[in-house]
């Protein structure tokens, strides 16, 4: 018992600083980095010769503009983002191209010190581009979280399977949850995936065998790692806080790998990019149930997804009501989208339109008919976004262009104030006609990780109750607040309803 007590004490001291520290989203550091980059670039260009000023500098500027235009074209044509990028992203991409051109074109004529400054200018401009990109998506909130990701540092509450088993056998209940990496076999899917993670709340350690707790599958966005919800979304701390208020109870959280690599956008379907759906349903669900003794009842399983993951959350639930009963769709699309409808069918399903229909939520709901015991929270933003034209509605056979589409490449469904509003309205409206209890909950925020993290915090009291978490009361879904004029903060709405 002495060893177990020491172990529990050590776990209680696990670092919780991942969301604290020097901000990378605002404040002095991002501004300072970009100012230094601008100064270095000006010094690298210098006055030099008349020929340099008349030919070298204009050519470098043209190259920089071409690099920015190429980047814009690529991101737009591939539909790589739901929210339009701020102008700073394109400016710094262009300046990075300019800095590289200055280094190459002016290398021979420059003095040794200016060559050194030119190298520094390239590095500083690339760093400033990264800062602008990060400000756009909110991937790293602090220097500390970025360093932890880049160095594969420990996650909040992270331990290992041996420690979890020893703690469970000791009968000592830890003061916070434990995050354990797991290597889930791909027997059912053949889907190559990275290491996934499971969060076990303190209540899991209260008995042996452990109680049959409910489970929430956590799915991140298009560019992701299984650690993102933990490192960027700060979900472990959120779950720990919730558990502290509910006798150590929260759902078990499983952080899955829907892509297999950082940039493999599977949209959680079975197709040419891998059998992601089979992995999540046929590999993950039975593994978690058998390994951690959780409930296998679909009434006790939910899904939370953000951006692409939000699309997955709806799609997996309506396609597999025998496995999942509740979902939180945070700014998801109307259906799987990786370009236009024709591009999506080609890229995800090898041109097989029937396979696309099998994973289109609207088609699936229509085919299935009435659902029983399925509920969902659609989270949308009321913050207006700049409009990008060329969008399409995924289940429109004519690939209709949507003049109101928001999001690079028109990935979203189209709507106001952003395209996820119309997607949520369409899916929730259709779902209600088929017995799905749902609400559209709007709150201010950009299409970024802070919005996703805040929504998880707001929706957890409802979701935990909906899937039968012990000592957590069931509360109604908030009233729809999809209109900017009637927006109610989700947490206030939940509190009003008894949460």
């Amino acid at each position: 018992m002495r060893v177990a007590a020491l172990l529990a004490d050590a776990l209680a001291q696990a670092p919780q600083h991942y969301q604290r520290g020097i901000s990378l989203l605002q404040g002095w550091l991002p501004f300072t980095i970009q100012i230094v980059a601008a100064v270095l670039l000006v010094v690298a260009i210098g006055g030099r010769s008349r020929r340099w000023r008349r030919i070298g500098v204009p050519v470098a500027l043209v190259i920089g503009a071409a690099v920015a235009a190429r980047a814009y074209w690529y991101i737009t044509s591939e539909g790589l983002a739901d929210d339009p990028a701020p102008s700073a992203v394109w400016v710094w991409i262009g300046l990075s191209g300019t800095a590289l051109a200055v280094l190459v074109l002016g290398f021979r004529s420059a003095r040794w010190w200016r060559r050194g400054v030119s190298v520094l200018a390239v590095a500083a401009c690339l760093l400033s581009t990264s800062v602008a990109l990060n400000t756009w998506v909110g991937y790293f909130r602090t220097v500390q979280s970025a360093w932890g990701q880049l160095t594969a540092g420990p996650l909040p509450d992270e331990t290992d399977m041996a420690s979890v088993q020893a703690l469970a056998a000791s009968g000592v209940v830890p003061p916070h949850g434990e995050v354990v990496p797991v290597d889930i076999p791909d027997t059912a899917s053949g889907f190559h995936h990275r290491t996934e993670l499971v969060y076990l709340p303190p209540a899991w350690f209260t008995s042996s065998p452990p109680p049959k707790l409910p489970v929430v599958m956590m799915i991140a966005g298009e560019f992701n790692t299984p650690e993102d919800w933990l490192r960027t979304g700060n979900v472990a701390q959120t779950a720990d806080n919730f558990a502290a208020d509910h006798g150590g109870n929260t759902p078990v959280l499983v952080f899955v790998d829907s892509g297999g690599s950082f940039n493999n956008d599977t949209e959680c379907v079975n197709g040419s990019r891998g059998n992601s759906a089979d992995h999540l349903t046929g590999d993950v669900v039975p593994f978690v149930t058998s390994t951690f003794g959780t409930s296998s009842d679909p009434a006790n399983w939910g899904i939370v997804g953000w951006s692409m993951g939000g699309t997955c959350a709806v799609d997996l639930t309506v396609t597999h009501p025998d496995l999942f009963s509740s979902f939180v769709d945070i700014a998801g699309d109307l259906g799987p989208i990786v370009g236009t409808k024709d591009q999506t069918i080609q890229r995800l399903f090898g041109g097989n339109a029937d396979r696309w229909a099998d994973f289109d939520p609207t088609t699936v709901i229509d085919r299935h008919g009435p659902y029983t015991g399925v509920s969902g929270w659609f989270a949308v933003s009321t913050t207006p976004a700049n409009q990008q034209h060329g969008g399409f509605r995924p289940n429109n056979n004519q690939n209709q262009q949507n003049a109101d589409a928001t999001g690079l490449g028109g990935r979203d469904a189209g709507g106001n104030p952003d395209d996820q509003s119309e997607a949520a309205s369409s899916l929730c409206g259709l779902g209600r006609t088929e017995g799905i209890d749902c609400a559209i909950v709007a709150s201010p925020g950009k299409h970024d990780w802070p919005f996703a993290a805040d929504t998880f915090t707001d929706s957890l009291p409802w979701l935990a109750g909906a899937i039968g978490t012990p000592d957590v009361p069931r509360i109604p879904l908030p009233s729809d607040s999809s209109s900017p004029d009637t927006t109610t903060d989700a947490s206030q709405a939940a509190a009003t309803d008894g949460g």
Side-chain angles (χ1 to χ4, degrees):
M1 293 295 295
R2 174 64 176 168
V3 173
L6 290 174
L7 177 60
D9 183 66
L11 292 170
Q13 305 301 317
Q16 298 294 331
H17 63 274
Y18 296 93
Q19 302 305 317
R20 308 185 191 123
I22 302 173
S23 175
L24 282 173
L25 300 180
Q26 56 189 353
W28 65 271
L29 184 59
F31 178 76
T32 300
I33 290 172
Q34 293 174 341
I35 288 295
V36 170
V39 170
L40 287 171
L41 180 57
V42 169
V43 174
I45 293 173
R48 307 198 193 189
S49 66
R50 183 178 180 184
R51 176 180 174 83
W52 170 251
R53 293 193 300 271
R54 294 185 60 182
I55 300 177
V57 174
V59 168
L61 292 173
V62 168
I63 291 174
V67 170
R70 175 69 179 180
Y72 181 87
W73 172 85
Y74 178 76
I75 291 178
T76 301
S77 65
E78 293 295 314
L80 296 181
D82 287 305
D83 211 24
S87 57
V89 171
W90 312 117
V91 168
W92 282 109
I93 290 176
L95 291 178
S96 296
T98 297
L100 183 60
V102 167
L103 173 63
V104 175
L105 297 176
F107 190 84
R108 294 184 61 184
S109 62
R111 295 184 178 181
W112 66 268
W113 62 268
R114 199 182 297 276
R115 293 176 181 175
V117 172
S118 297
V119 172
L120 292 176
V122 172
C125 286
L126 290 173
L127 180 59
S128 295
T129 300
S130 300
V131 168
L133 286 168
N134 186 67
T135 301
W136 177 24
V137 301
Y139 194 70
F140 298 121
R141 296 194 188 189
T142 66
V143 173
Q144 287 82 348
S145 64
W147 181 253
Q149 179 84 318
L150 295 174
T151 60
L155 294 162
D157 292 349
E158 184 176 2
T159 183
D160 54 46
M161 186 65 80
S163 298
V164 164
Q165 292 171 340
L167 191 59
S170 72
V172 175
V173 179
H176 56 73
E178 304 298 334
V179 173
V180 55
V182 291
D183 185 13
I184 299 177
D186 60 1
T187 307
S189 66
F191 182 73
H192 177 74
H193 61 87
R194 294 162 291 184
T195 298
E196 292 159 309
L197 302 118
V198 174
Y199 169 92
L200 301 169
W204 187 85
F205 296 88
T206 57
S207 64
S208 182
K212 291 188 175 299
L213 294 174
V215 183
V216 174
M217 184 179 291
M218 306 291 295
I219 308 176
E222 176 181 352
F223 300 102
N224 73 84
T225 70
E227 296 90 352
D228 287 350
W229 271 112
L230 289 158
R231 203 182 297 277
T232 306
N234 200 30
V235 162
Q237 185 64 59
T238 301
D240 285 344
N241 294 341
F242 188 84
D245 294 333
H246 295 85
N249 288 287
T250 67
V252 170
L253 307 177
V254 52
F255 303 91
V256 297
D257 184 10
S258 62
S261 63
F262 183 76
N263 61 344
N264 184 35
D265 182 7
T266 66
E267 299 286 309
C268 300
V269 305
N270 294 333
S272 55
R273 297 180 178 180
N275 293 330
S276 178
D278 281 352
H279 172 62
L280 301 178
T281 59
D283 295 331
V284 172
V285 172
F287 175 86
V288 172
T289 301
S290 62
T291 303
F292 298 103
T294 62
S295 173
S296 59
D297 189 334
N300 301 131
W301 275 75
I303 307 175
V304 173
W306 136 243
S307 192
M308 179 209 74
T311 309
C312 298
V314 178
D315 202 1
L316 289 168
T317 303
V318 300
T319 305
H320 296 279
D322 57 323
L323 296 177
F324 310 102
S325 62
S326 300
F327 64 84
V328 177
D329 170 5
I330 306 172
D333 290 317
L334 188 58
I337 304 176
V338 290
T340 66
K341 178 180 175 182
D342 287 342
Q343 288 173 329
T344 297
I345 293 173
Q346 184 60 47
R347 293 168 179 173
L348 287 182
F349 305 102
N352 189 330
D354 291 337
R355 293 297 293 153
W356 169 84
D358 290 340
F359 291 94
D360 173 56
T362 299
T363 305
V364 171
I365 294 172
D366 279 333
R367 289 176 176 176
H368 184 278
Y371 289 80
T372 301
V374 174
S375 57
W377 174 308
F378 290 90
V380 298
S381 171
T382 59
T383 302
N386 297 325
Q387 299 297 312
Q388 296 284 339
H389 300 295
F392 78 105
R393 306 175 193 274
N395 56 342
N396 186 309
N397 292 330
Q398 303 301 318
N399 290 331
Q400 175 180 324
Q401 294 297 306
N402 176 13
D404 294 326
T406 300
L408 299 178
R411 285 196 70 223
D412 309 324
N416 185 23
D418 65 25
D419 293 332
Q420 287 84 23
S421 297
E422 186 174 307
S425 178
S426 176
L427 290 169
C428 188
L430 175 61
R432 283 170 177 161
T433 67
E434 299 295 349
I436 297 175
D437 184 22
C438 58
I440 303 171
V441 185
S443 57
K446 299 192 300 179
H447 192 91
D448 59 13
W449 268 106
F451 179 73
D454 290 344
T455 300
F456 175 76
T457 301
D458 293 339
S459 63
L460 183 57
W462 167 78
L463 179 61
I467 61 175
T469 306
D471 294 336
V472 177
R474 289 180 179 268
I475 59 176
L477 282 161
S479 300
D480 277 5
S481 57
S482 56
S483 169
D485 295 331
T486 60
T487 299
T488 303
D489 182 87
S491 59
Q492 293 177 351
T496 301
D497 288 327

